[in-house]
Amino acid sequence: MSQYTPAEIEARWQKAWEKNETFKAMRDASKPKYYVLEMFPYPSGRIHMGHVRNYTMGDVIARYKISTGHNVLHPMGWDAFGMPAENAAMAIGGHPKDWTYGNIDDMRSQMKPLGLSIDWSREFATCDPEYYGQQQALFLDFLQAGLVYRKNAIVNWDPVDMTVLANEQVEAGRGWRSGALVERRELTQWFFKISEHSDELLEALDSLDNWPAKVKLMQANWIGKSRGLQFAFSTVGAPDGHDRIEVYTTRPDTLLGASFVGISPDHPLAKLLEKDNPDLAAFCAECRKGGTTEEAIETAEKLGFDTGITVRHPFDTAHELPVYIANFILMDYGTGAIFGCPAHDERDFEFATKYELPIISTYLPSEESSDELDAAFVPPKTDKVFYNRGFAGEQWQTGNEAIDAAIAFCEENGVGQGVTKFRLRDWGLSRQRYWGCPIPVVHCDGCGVVPEKKENLPIELPYDVDFSTPGNPLDRHPTWRDCPCPSCGKPAKRETDTMDTFVDSSWYFARFTAPHADTPTYMEDAAYWMNVDQYIGGVEHAILHLLYARFFARAMQMTGHLPESAIEPFDALFTQGMVTHAIYQTPKQDGRPTYHYPEEVELRDGKAFLKESDQEVEIIPSAKMSKSKNNVVDPLNIISNYGADTARWFVLSDSPPERDVEWTASGAEAAFKHLNRVWNICNRIGEMNKTAQGEGDEDLLRAMHKTIHDVTMGVESFGFNAAIAKLYAFTATLQKSKAGHSTQRAAIMTLAQLMAPMTPHLAEDIWSHQDGEGLIVNAPWPQAEEKMLVDDTITMPIQINGKRRAEINVPADLSKEEVEKIALAHEAVIRTLDGATPKKVIVVPGRIVNVVA
RNA sequence: GCGGGCGUGAUGGAAUGGUAGACAUACCAGACUUAAAAUCUGUUGGGCCUUGUGCCCGUGUGGGUUCGAGUCCCACCGCCCGCACCA
């Protein structure tokens, strides 16, 4: 044993784990189970540092749980359907299937050298017919249970390529390939009834004690429960069948401030008027330009069109308000119609100013305030305000009180009903694309839309497809659509829409419990392994993926695919930050920067220079790794230069896991140096005289037990960076220690165990060199002895008026009174007080003394 | 536009409301070396002077609560993320 050679060590121990089937998960009722899962990757073809960080964190937890006696399930799979495969087929030829499976092979071979504790026997890809066939079975069960239905929905339409575009494919309002202005268009699509579960999904958030509060808050806001008033305005001059316009408002207390009614361009009334009013039709067409994202709609310039129709105010039928079609009103939320109160809504204020509509206040900051507003007055609903045009409740009340009073008043007077609404919309799952799970239904001229028979599943994607033109190749396939109607047996046509890839990722965690089952799940396995005890992934999934998965767990429970106990599938959630890297750039003549690879740049005195020309380079710190910015660090290079343990150690060491971490070459080097140091200490201890006595055994043992305690806390609370800092400190202590051999051996073996979740290969090697029993991965986690953690004397700082002036060493169990006496007798305290009598002395036992003068 | 988050030395960051800057990087100095690398040791928030067991300032900005605030509250500024067909 001489030199630290990670390449050799890592291969050896990975082989040992594989031979022992160390990570193969099998049901075992005698042990507590622990299911740790990282969000599975999209097979882009290359692993990146973000993957390394994500899977290393999961691996630390998994290995720690193994050593604390748990039966651990730690699987891996591939979120393999999606647009990039089709884009690649269009851009460079080839087939999405070949591209995807090729990428999976590449990524698996890049991932394995990391030495993750994964049970690879459970691996699957969502594009395996074995998986998506079971997904089709789920779909059919959901359909039968009434959890799926069809309705019209709006998509981005590229009028040149004649194809549906994803939001991602819309760039500044134009199609990414054709450059044509994108339009909004209606299509009949499949939906999951997630909105029916809004209240339940919201209420259950409270039970998720080990989820980040911010994720729960984001989900709660997304579901968007609101209590409001629904009522109808009666119209004047509207076409037949539209003598009323239903509106929904969360601020009924501002009803007397209404100055117009707005309806969505997709409102039935707007669509009717469109038919014989060319100007109005042109306006609606204008509104339908641009993308379908909420952001695009909300940030677009507010536009309105006066329909000429008016409505009567419910409290004063002589008062008529104009009806506008407005581009910022969503047909999906509420009733697709609102009343505008410019005085108390910024958007309505902007609209009213533009179209010269009256601005009528209903409440003011005080009785004396002018009701001539030059901006919307929008105080928090919890603030007490003065209602100058209130109609229910007190004159002085909070917004919330006024809203409740207004709803009660309107209900009593037959004007409308209090209604609870949710912002959450049903989940549209249809995609007009090839590389996804086919929706297993058949369109029959006689029978309509008919579910496929389960015995015909999986409905497999055809391989012979053509990507030379845009659109869905399934539509153009000569024969794939043809099939007998499952109901009447006559010739019929398959549905060509495929499922949103979010469907694939909404139940994969359940499939991992029985990945090769011939039904979506096996109850016995699901009951044993579910829930996921620790789920780890990016915060970008905080809303959609996690909400959909929570819905799926409920739907699977309703259709008998998951036990009731699994309707909240993730017990604990952790959202980790990104791995970033500096960008090195030099200006080009056209003003755009040239980006340089880190390898091309030399760092001196905090500045960067091109190695080739010595030209100074601008450093942009900490940007998301991106191919186009040339600031991607390939984990494979790091592993081949330093080994996987160094890469793992570094991604955990520098930043708290929930925050972004910046990859730096010097940081990676520091990690490597540290592992070498630990290796050398192990070497040195191995060569010590086994019987020699030393000095400071007690001190080393105390430091060891403190480190056990701190690292254990760190690992359990995702404080990996803090745990690593403690390991650095203990390594330094051990390095300098003059303790005897047996104590030092105990220390290095404990150090190896504490490092094992992070640097498992090095830990195994040290363990075997110190003649540890079996594999370190199976060794029980070290326990800190309570009595070794407490010191006899402690140092207490003394503050005078909150500023530190001195410190005293006192026995740890000294009484408050004694501490106070010693503190006041301290020379620096006497000097600073300068004869004054302290007003108060605060002694926080074991912490601090504060003298108030 | 709406929703969420973050802001501490030259840098990444540490700090149950209790000594701000742990640990690491970078820099500087020293040991070892013919030299370099590697390794090891030490210094480093800013300012002031009377160089001390010293004083003042200091966690984006401005207020507040508290014996005590990086931490809690309010307002503002800046940056980042999500917004339903990217995964």
Side-chain angles (χ1 to χ4, degrees):
Chain A
M1 186 176 186
S2 53
Q3 265 232 297
Y4 174 48
T5 50
E8 182 264 324
I9 291 172
E10 290 175 1
R12 179 146 43 89
W13 293 109
Q14 283 168 20
K15 223 170 272 166
W17 298 325
E18 197 173 340
K19 188 171 149 244
N20 283 288
E21 298 194 324
T22 305
F23 307 120
K24 195 166 168 82
M26 280 177 293
R27 280 181 3 221
D28 176 355
S30 71
K31 280 187 186 174
K33 69 91 191 178
Y34 197 89
Y35 182 3
V36 55
L37 182 66
E38 300 95 50
M39 291 179 187
F40 66 166
Y42 178 79
S44 61
R46 303 290 293 176
I47 65 165
H48 53 69
M49 277 300 166
H51 293 126
V52 174
R53 194 177 191 211
N54 190 199
Y55 305 133
T56 301
M57 285 180 198
D59 203 45
V60 170
I61 301 294
R63 287 173 179 273
Y64 171 70
K65 288 293 173 183
I66 291 171
S67 70
T68 53
H70 291 80
N71 188 29
V72 170
L73 171 60
H74 185 201
M76 181 60 68
W78 310 96
D79 189 12
F81 275 134
M83 290 204 308
E86 289 190 32
N87 293 341
M90 286 188 274
I92 58 174
H95 194 281
K97 182 177 174 181
D98 303 333
W99 185 86
T100 302
Y101 280 102
N103 283 351
I104 288 174
D105 288 342
D106 289 347
M107 279 182 82
R108 189 193 306 104
S109 68
Q110 293 161 25
M111 215 183 271
K112 285 210 167 174
L114 284 169
L116 301 170
S117 60
I118 285 166
D119 178 359
W120 286 100
S121 74
R122 290 176 186 256
E123 175 192 353
F124 61 77
T126 56
C127 62
D128 297 341
E130 197 190 5
Y131 181 81
Y132 72 72
Q134 296 304 331
Q135 186 164 302
Q136 290 167 339
L138 278 180
F139 178 91
L140 294 177
D141 286 348
F142 288 5
L143 188 60
Q144 193 167 18
L147 291 161
V148 195
Y149 69 102
R150 295 177 92 209
K151 71 166 179 183
N152 285 350
I154 293 166
V155 294
N156 298 305
W157 180 257
D158 185 321
V160 171
D161 277 352
M162 304 287 280
T163 187
V164 176
L165 297 178
N167 284 335
E168 192 192 50
Q169 297 171 315
V170 179
E171 291 168 358
R174 292 172 181 274
W176 67 336
R177 297 172 76 86
S178 69
L181 281 171
V182 168
E183 295 167 9
R184 295 203 276 268
R185 197 179 249 225
E186 272 198 334
L187 240 64
T188 305
Q189 311 210 56
W190 289 95
F191 285 81
F192 288 123
K193 279 190 189 166
I194 188 172
S195 68
E196 217 164 68
H197 297 77
S198 296
D199 220 355
E200 222 275 300
L201 288 165
L202 180 67
E203 294 297 316
L205 286 173
D206 281 341
S207 69
L208 302 175
D209 296 330
N210 295 310
W211 279 42
K214 67 168 176 180
V215 172
K216 290 193 277 185
L217 183 59
M218 284 163 90
Q219 291 223 348
N221 287 335
W222 188 261
I223 294 168
K225 184 176 185 170
S226 65
R227 171 124 177 110
L229 180 74
Q230 184 158 333
F231 67 100
F233 286 103
S234 56
T235 56
V236 179
D240 284 352
H242 291 275
D243 50 337
R244 291 156 63 84
I245 295 177
E246 284 278 334
V247 301
Y248 172 74
T249 177
T250 57
R251 291 308 299 257
D253 57 321
T254 65
L255 190 46
L256 289 173
S259 64
F260 66 96
V261 163
I263 63 173
S264 163
D266 301 309
H267 192 277
L269 175 59
K271 287 189 170 168
L272 183 64
L273 294 172
E274 207 174 13
K275 284 180 185 153
D276 33 47
N277 183 338
D279 289 346
L280 193 151
F283 175 80
C284 287
E286 189 63 32
C287 290
R288 287 185 196 113
K289 281 188 182 150
T292 59
T293 68
E294 198 168 301
E295 186 195 359
I297 293 163
E298 292 288 328
T299 52
E301 193 194 349
K302 309 291 171 278
L303 297 174
F305 187 95
D306 190 348
T307 59
I309 297 168
T310 59
V311 295
R312 296 198 174 93
H313 196 286
F315 292 171
D316 174 10
T317 49
H319 180 32
E320 291 186 10
L321 312 174
V323 176
Y324 278 77
I325 296 169
N327 63 345
F328 57 88
I329 298 167
L330 301 168
M331 194 56 219
D332 290 317
Y333 183 63
T335 59
I338 58 146
F339 75 78
C341 177
H344 303 299
D345 183 290
E346 273 154 30
R347 197 167 50 185
D348 293 350
F349 188 93
E350 188 187 329
F351 191 83
T353 309
K354 185 165 180 176
Y355 295 102
E356 295 176 353
L357 297 163
I359 295 164
I360 309 155
S361 67
T362 61
Y363 51 81
L364 297 165
S366 74
E367 289 171 49
E368 295 81 38
S369 308
S370 156
D371 71 347
E372 296 286 308
L373 299 172
D374 47 15
F377 174 51
V378 193
K381 284 186 207 169
T382 48
D383 283 8
K384 260 201 165 116
V385 289
F386 173 73
Y387 276 80
N388 58 328
R389 288 189 186 84
F391 58 89
E394 305 294 322
Q395 278 218 303
W396 275 100
Q397 58 187 339
T398 67
N400 284 323
E401 289 162 354
I403 290 166
D404 290 343
I407 292 172
F409 178 90
C410 290
E411 284 184 342
E412 278 161 30
N413 291 279
V415 172
Q417 273 91 46
V419 175
T420 299
K421 285 217 190 281
F422 295 91
R423 205 184 74 99
L424 181 64
R425 316 200 290 252
D426 278 334
W427 170 13
L429 67 121
S430 301
R431 298 291 180 271
Q432 295 69 42
R433 272 177 266 286
Y434 165 77
W435 193 233
C437 171
I439 295 174
V441 296
V442 172
H443 297 266
C444 169
D445 286 340
C447 312
V449 178
V450 186
E452 183 55 271
K453 292 178 185 163
K454 271 199 184 169
E455 61 260 35
N456 292 337
L457 301 185
I459 305 302
E460 282 198 53
L461 290 166
Y463 185 79
D464 53 331
V465 282
D466 164 31
F467 287 94
S468 56
T469 51
N472 185 351
L474 293 177
D475 281 336
R476 299 191 298 265
H477 193 279
T479 56
W480 184 78
R481 300 189 65 183
D482 300 324
C483 66
C485 168
S487 174
C488 67
K490 288 185 192 148
K493 296 279 189 193
R494 287 197 187 290
E495 169 82 51
T496 58
D497 281 359
T498 53
M499 295 187 203
D500 179 6
T501 56
F502 271 122
V503 179
D504 312 336
S505 56
S506 288
W507 71 287
Y508 76 108
F509 49 88
R511 182 72 181 170
F512 274 136
T513 64
H516 307 297
D518 54 13
T519 49
T521 57
Y522 285 148
M523 266 301 196
E524 223 182 351
D525 289 297
Y528 178 81
W529 288 114
M530 289 299 286
N531 294 340
V532 176
D533 292 277
Q534 181 65 61
Y535 196 33
I536 306 170
V539 72
E540 66 272 22
H541 295 293
I543 298 175
L544 290 179
H545 161 60
L546 290 167
L547 193 60
Y548 291 159
R550 294 177 63 218
F551 164 72
F552 246 68
R554 283 164 174 75
M556 287 175 76
Q557 188 268 321
M558 290 164 71
T559 49
H561 297 293
L562 276 180
E564 182 134 19
S565 55
I567 62 168
E568 280 301 338
F570 311 120
D571 278 354
L573 172 71
F574 189 85
T575 54
Q576 107 270 13
M578 291 182 301
V579 181
T580 64
H581 193 279
I583 296 173
Y584 303 110
Q585 62 179 42
T586 48
K588 244 187 341 197
Q589 268 115 353
D590 63 5
R592 289 191 177 182
T594 307
Y595 299 107
H596 304 279
Y597 290 102
E599 305 84 88
E600 300 172 347
V601 171
E602 189 182 12
L603 296 172
R604 294 197 303 262
D605 304 334
K607 290 178 181 170
F609 301 88
L610 281 184
K611 280 178 187 166
E612 208 168 78
S613 63
D614 217 41
Q615 185 193 355
E616 187 170 347
V617 174
E618 191 189 350
I619 307 175
I620 311 237
S622 238
K624 186 174 182 169
M625 284 193 184
S626 155
K627 267 186 202 161
S628 63
K629 302 272 167 42
N630 287 353
N631 67 334
V632 176
V633 174
D634 190 336
L636 294 187
N637 290 338
I638 303 300
I639 292 172
S640 65
N641 288 342
Y642 300 113
D645 281 342
T646 292
R648 295 170 55 119
W649 184 262
F650 177 74
V651 293
L652 296 171
S653 67
D654 244 22
S655 284
E658 67 276 15
R659 235 191 279 178
D660 293 351
V661 62
E662 180 169 344
W663 182 274
T664 59
S666 56
E669 205 145 313
F672 183 63
K673 279 182 190 173
H674 175 72
L675 301 191
N676 269 289
R677 213 172 303 147
V678 175
W679 173 273
N680 290 333
I681 294 171
C682 173
N683 249 341
R684 176 177 64 73
I685 295 172
E687 287 161 8
M688 276 175 81
N689 180 344
K690 303 278 183 288
T691 55
Q693 297 296 302
E695 298 165 14
D697 289 52
E698 171 82 9
D699 289 346
L700 183 59
L701 286 176
R702 278 187 182 275
M704 183 180 96
H705 283 279
K706 275 205 172 111
T707 308
I708 294 171
H709 176 261
D710 292 346
V711 172
T712 305
M713 298 285 284
V715 169
E716 289 200 340
S717 64
F718 277 82
F720 301 129
N721 56 327
I724 282 179
K726 301 289 183 190
L727 288 167
Y728 270 116
F730 181 58
T731 304
T733 304
L734 177 56
Q735 185 158 31
K736 290 174 194 160
S737 174
K738 301 246 185 336
H741 174 263
S742 66
T743 307
Q744 291 214 34
R745 176 173 176 267
I748 188 73
M749 289 180 80
T750 301
L751 178 62
Q753 282 192 280
L754 296 177
M755 288 174 69
M758 298 137 184
T759 58
H761 313 87
L762 174 64
E764 289 287 4
D765 222 58
I766 291 173
W767 189 256
S768 86
H769 276 100
Q770 299 292 343
D771 298 319
E773 199 189 321
L775 292 171
I776 201 169
V777 66
N778 293 320
W781 190 251
Q783 299 297 312
E785 283 175 35
E786 205 61 44
K787 67 175 198 304
M788 298 295 273
L789 299 177
V790 284
D791 292 317
D792 301 337
T793 63
I794 51 167
T795 303
M796 288 180 82
I798 303 172
Q799 293 182 335
I800 295 171
N801 292 331
K803 284 193 197 301
R804 196 188 75 93
R805 296 296 172 182
E807 57 184 41
I808 51 174
N809 283 304
V810 293
D813 54 357
L814 200 65
S815 74
K816 271 188 169 189
E817 291 72 26
E818 288 295 318
V819 171
E820 182 174 332
K821 208 179 282 178
I822 293 170
L824 290 177
H826 194 276
E827 182 244 336
V829 176
I830 292 168
R831 179 158 33 84
T832 313
L833 284 176
D834 196 24
T837 317
K839 290 196 185 96
K840 198 173 173 186
V841 179
I842 292 150
V843 179
V844 185
R847 281 279 175 200
I848 201 165
V849 181
N850 193 11
V851 180
V852 186

